[in-house]
Amino acid sequence: MPLTFATDPAHGGRWTSLRDGDREWLWHRPDPARDDVAPSDAFVDAGGMEECVPTVRGTPDHGDAWSRPWTRSGDTDRVDCDTFTLTRTVRTTPDGVEADYTLLAEAGYHFIWAAHALLDLSDRAELKARVGTPTRVFPEASRLLDGPWPDGAPWVQSAWPTPCGLRLDRFGPQDGTAVGAVLANGRACVHDGVNRLSLAVEAEGQPVSVGLWRNLGGFPQKSPYRSIGVEPMLGRTFDLAAADPGDAACVPASGAVHWRLTLTTDCHCI
């Protein structure tokens, strides 16, 4: 059966469903606080797939679009933020779901975007990506690596699927860890039993990647839970403030950046 989807423009444009027949791919964590957020509020993790832009980590927390109401005209959703406007047109295709995005801002504006997809996965699920893909891991993983963390480093980089000795392609049960990583490749595929979900992003002239949030009961510190994020991204780091040259998308002279998110059940792209 083809993939189907649902979004919620009134609540940050959040994707609330991504379904393959009886299989719902999006994980949910109901939280009534999600209904009343305002710009600059701390992120409320209700699951689904959030649009995180112009940053994921940092300020504003998970970006500036998830906490604002979007408007819908025909099949296009739009959100106006202080420094940019984002539009999104989502449609089903014979192969899955496609979403075309346009961000409008002043030329030279830098940003990170992530389709912050939290997936409902079993302990046996795996993430497939091209072996050897350069993969950044971040300081929360420092105690899990096969060497000391370099003083002051915002991230370290090694090869997928075991960057710095840390195996990241298996999700597994709760073990009290939470790790973020960014793969320098715009395609990845989740295998969970017989089910497959391929996620890909394309953007001419912009850095693309796939972010991974493997939270196996290590976050948040007070009341941890298990959540798995597989996040197609523009940019190659989570925090815009920590981006090196080339690590963030940049608006060209035209004032517009265009990109496409593709979600399918065909994993032949890896």
Side-chain angles (χ1 to χ4, degrees), residues 151-175:
D151 289 344
W155 46 265
V156 295
Q157 181 170 293
S158 187
W160 180 266
T162 55
C164 304
L166 175 59
R167 185 159 193 178
L168 288 178
D169 61 335
R170 305 274 179 90
F171 294 121
Q174 291 195 184
D175 62 7

Side-chain angles (χ1 to χ4, degrees), residues 20-157:
D20 177 15
D22 293 334
R23 169 65 189 256
E24 173 59 62
W25 280 102
L26 296 182
W27 171 85
H28 294 89
R29 179 178 173 270
D31 189 329
R34 183 67 180 79
D35 294 336
D36 299 315
V37 295
S40 78
D41 282 357
F43 184 60
V44 178
D45 187 4
M49 185 164 74
E50 304 278 9
E51 304 283 358
C52 294
V53 60
T55 192
V56 182
R57 298 182 181 182
T59 303
D61 187 10
H62 283 69
D64 201 26
W66 73 272
S67 59
R68 296 174 183 265
W70 296 39
T71 58
R72 177 167 289 172
S73 177
D75 59 356
T76 297
D77 297 327
R78 169 180 173 139
V79 61
D80 295 301
C81 298
D82 293 340
T83 55
F84 65 89
T85 292
L86 180 67
T87 62
R88 176 189 69 191
T89 302
V90 190
R91 60 189 171 275
T92 57
T93 71
D95 298 321
V97 173
E98 289 181 349
D100 286 328
Y101 294 82
T102 299
L103 184 140
L104 303 175
E106 291 187 3
Y109 180 75
H110 287 80
F111 67 96
I112 305 291
W113 164 85
H116 187 271
L118 294 175
L119 303 181
D120 188 4
L121 301 177
S122 74
D123 294 353
R124 302 177 303 281
E126 301 180 31
L127 183 63
K128 303 290 188 178
R130 187 175 298 122
V131 172
T133 296
T135 302
R136 296 178 178 182
V137 293
F138 294 83
E140 65 269 13
S142 59
R143 66 182 178 86
L144 305 174
L145 306 185
D146 59 6
W149 190 268
D151 289 344
W155 46 265
V156 295
Q157 181 170 293

Side-chain angles (χ1 to χ4, degrees), residues 140 143 173-179 213-227:
E140 65 269 13
R143 66 182 178 86
Q174 291 195 184
D175 62 7
T177 66
V179 175
W213 173 240
R214 194 184 71 176
N215 174 25
L216 303 179
F219 179 88
Q221 189 174 36
K222 184 177 180 181
S223 299
Y225 50 84
R226 184 181 189 271
S227 61

Side-chain angles (χ1 to χ4, degrees), residues 203-247:
E204 185 176 356
Q206 304 291 346
V208 296
S209 62
V210 172
L212 169 64
W213 173 240
R214 194 184 71 176
N215 174 25
L216 303 179
F219 179 88
Q221 189 174 36
K222 184 177 180 181
S223 299
Y225 50 84
R226 184 181 189 271
S227 61
I228 305 296
V230 180
E231 308 172 18
M233 296 176 64
L234 296 192
R236 291 187 174 159
T237 191
F238 291 119
D239 189 346
L240 179 62
D244 290 332
D247 281 350

